[in-house]
Amino acid sequence: MSSFARVILKRGAEKRILAGHVWIFESLLLKTKGPLKDGDIVEVESYRGDFLGRGYFNHHSNIVVRLLTRKREPIDFEFFKNRIHRAFQRRHPLLQATNAYRVIFSEADFLPGLIIDRYGDIFVLQILTLGIERFRNEIVDVLVQLFQPAGIFERSDARQRTFEGLPLLKQDVWGSVPERVEFLENGLTFFADVREGQKTGFFLDQRDNRLLVRQISARARVLDCFSYSGGFSVSAAKGGAREVIAVDISETAIEQARENARRNHVADKITFRPENVFDLLKHFDKEGEKFDVIILDPPAFVRSKKAIEGALRGYKEINLRAMRLLNPNGYLLTSSCSHNLSENQFHHVLFQAAADVHRSFQVLQKIMQPLDHPILLTIPETYYLKSVLLQYLEF
């Protein structure tokens, strides 16, 4: 007889789990059996009593159970060690051009609520759910045993934690973590501000696109919008761009971009502008400015499904204006990191923008998030980063 409390699903609700998803919404719950506290590991059963797996419970969340395993196995130090080690083994042979990457990507690595990023010998831990919070010590111990890091920093400051009834945290949890963490990517040197920077300190998910920009920027005039800490700008300059303009509304981000440019000896090629991208695109359009490469990597406009309509207008505006600023044969690399916005919706926005500016664009490449941010086929929510490389052609 199992010592775990049990969660019984409504008739038919097991189809979602058997199809491969790991989220159980409150609306799918029929009843619970046994003593149950938020954060506890529970066993999930179908209406007929069939065992479906083990996961953690939290009634504060709309997702009341997140499955960790489909087996009757202990959830303990060895469990997390095996999961983290297997994820590392899947990535490591494929990531030879960088020492910074995502080791664990939550649901996509069968550890919902857990993010682990690596910057050389510094690891950044992000715990998003109460169920994972209960295993913080075990997870830290696993990282220490597997990787012998110089330091581990926790960036559990994502808004999602408030829905779990958890406080926002930023703290050292192991060893020594410097203010600036240096790492390598495709022959370039960057730093991550793991304590205060966006995400866990750097946008690791745009690694492949930064390399792409480097390849298309020879002798180009480049406009990098929402440039943050300058990854695209530095890559374009290293690719031989004759001029790069980096734009971000954050003075802090602009200063970080300057530092990254200095580290890679391209500061003289980049003009840094701490301005509002929407306003500057309008100004450039009015002044008749033209560019050979434009990068659009805005923050997530869609924080919830209710925000989609407004976000679509925002995406259309910036892409339309960027399209107007391109020289013939110029490239537009445009992205959406909003998982609530589907790939079809994003592509339709680009179609509408191109139609409104009366210009023809070839779709040269559609790009998803890199392999260290894997997409689980049966959990579409793990697919969030959509990028498209367009080229403006006259005929």
Side-chain angles (χ1 to χ4, degrees):
M1 183 69 178
S2 173
S3 61
F4 293 95
R6 291 181 292 157
V7 168
I8 315 300
L9 304 186
K10 293 178 179 176
R11 186 190 298 271
E14 74 278 2
K15 293 178 182 178
R16 174 182 174 84
I17 305 306
L18 293 173
H21 216 295
V22 298
W23 291 354
I24 298 172
F25 291 94
E26 185 178 16
S27 60
L28 301 179
L29 225 61
L30 177 64
K31 60 184 176 180
T32 63
K33 290 185 177 181
L36 187 57
K37 294 185 297 183
D38 289 332
D40 281 354
I41 299 296
V42 298
E43 290 196 343
V44 179
E45 295 181 359
S46 71
Y47 178 84
R48 295 186 300 273
D50 298 322
F51 174 80
L52 297 173
R54 286 179 178 170
Y56 56 80
F57 177 88
N58 187 356
H59 87 279
H60 287 288
S61 174
N62 185 38
I63 305 170
V64 293
V65 179
R66 289 175 167 87
L67 285 185
L68 290 168
T69 178
R70 300 183 187 280
K71 303 173 184 176
R72 285 191 169 94
E73 60 181 321
I75 310 299
D76 53 14
F77 173 87
E78 289 298 326
F79 172 85
F80 284 98
K81 180 181 176 181
N82 290 336
R83 285 285 166 89
I84 293 170
H85 188 233
R86 288 206 302 267
F88 169 74
Q89 288 180 314
R90 289 193 294 271
R91 289 157 167 72
H92 189 63
L94 303 172
L95 290 165
Q96 299 303 315
T98 183
N99 64 350
Y101 51 89
R102 179 149 292 183
V103 178
I104 293 294
F105 184 38
S106 199
E107 282 84 357
D109 286 306
F110 308 111
L111 287 172
L114 179 62
I115 299 289
I116 301 174
D117 285 345
R118 180 178 191 172
Y119 298 91
D121 60 359
I122 300 298
F123 285 71
V124 183
L125 174 68
Q126 189 172 71
I127 294 173
L128 302 172
T129 57
L130 177 60
I132 294 296
E133 179 103 354
R134 294 283 183 88
F135 293 96
R136 174 189 280 105
N137 292 339
E138 287 86 346
I139 292 166
V140 171
D141 289 345
V142 166
L143 294 179
V144 171
Q145 186 179 116
L146 288 178
F147 304 107
Q148 297 84 49
I152 303 173
F153 191 77
E154 183 174 0
R155 279 295 302 269
S156 296
D157 57 343
R159 191 169 60 103
Q160 182 180 332
R161 279 176 63 92
T162 62
F163 304 131
E164 294 274 322
L166 294 170
L168 304 186
L169 297 174
K170 288 190 283 189
Q171 59 185 0
D172 290 284
V173 293
W174 176 267
S176 176
V177 179
E179 292 297 321
R180 296 285 189 269
V181 179
E182 191 171 281
F183 66 94
L184 301 174
E185 179 186 283
N186 296 318
L188 304 179
T189 301
F190 294 107
F191 81 88
D193 181 0
V194 300
R195 295 179 178 274
E196 300 294 340
Q198 295 290 322
K199 302 187 84 170
T200 64
F202 203 80
F203 288 91
L204 297 175
D205 54 5
Q206 287 284 12
R207 180 191 311 109
D208 294 349
N209 283 338
R210 285 189 287 270
L211 182 59
L212 178 60
V213 163
R214 191 172 174 179
Q215 293 167 343
I216 63 175
S217 293
R219 299 176 296 282
R221 189 179 190 220
V222 179
L223 177 61
D224 179 11
C225 300
F226 309 99
S227 59
Y228 183 49
S229 55
F232 281 115
S233 296
V234 170
S235 298
K238 276 293 187 180
R242 70 176 190 275
E243 179 189 5
V244 182
I245 298 175
V247 187
D248 199 287
I249 199 169
S250 166
E251 293 273 7
T252 300
I254 289 293
E255 186 49 46
Q256 292 173 347
R258 284 195 181 99
E259 183 173 340
N260 277 322
R262 288 192 292 266
R263 285 168 182 250
N264 291 281
H265 312 292
V266 292
D268 59 324
K269 289 188 174 184
I270 306 174
T271 301
F272 300 95
R273 301 186 64 156
E275 299 183 46
N276 181 292
V277 168
F278 286 86
D279 294 340
L280 189 61
L281 288 175
K282 291 178 185 178
H283 172 73
F284 280 163
D285 191 11
K286 183 178 179 181
E287 295 298 313
E289 297 275 4
K290 295 295 179 183
F291 297 89
D292 304 300
V293 177
I294 299 177
I295 302 111
L296 292 178
D297 183 25
F301 290 164
V302 190
R303 296 294 182 182
S304 69
K305 291 185 178 180
K306 295 179 182 178
I308 286 180
E309 185 175 341
L312 290 173
R313 291 194 296 269
Y315 281 119
K316 182 180 178 182
E317 179 181 347
I318 60 172
N319 281 281
L320 183 149
R321 293 192 179 280
M323 289 174 176
R324 287 172 58 88
L325 295 175
L326 277 176
N327 282 318
N329 299 316
Y331 298 101
L332 171 61
L333 177 63
T334 180
S335 298
S336 166
C337 62
S338 302
H339 77 82
N340 285 306
L341 187 75
S342 72
E343 182 181 276
N344 286 340
Q345 287 173 311
F346 183 51
H347 291 169
H348 187 62
V349 162
L350 300 180
F351 164 79
Q352 289 179 315
D356 284 357
V357 299
H358 309 299
R359 291 183 174 181
S360 296
F361 291 84
Q362 283 187 341
V363 178
L364 299 184
Q365 202 169 347
K366 294 180 181 179
I367 309 144
M368 299 188 296
Q369 58 223 51
L371 58 87
D372 56 326
H373 294 66
I375 300 164
L376 203 60
L377 188 61
T378 53
I379 305 181
E381 293 85 356
T382 57
Y383 178 26
Y384 71 97
L385 181 61
K386 284 87 54 180
S387 302
V388 182
L389 179 64
L390 302 172
Q391 186 173 27
Y392 166 37
L393 299 182
E394 288 187 319
F395 75 101

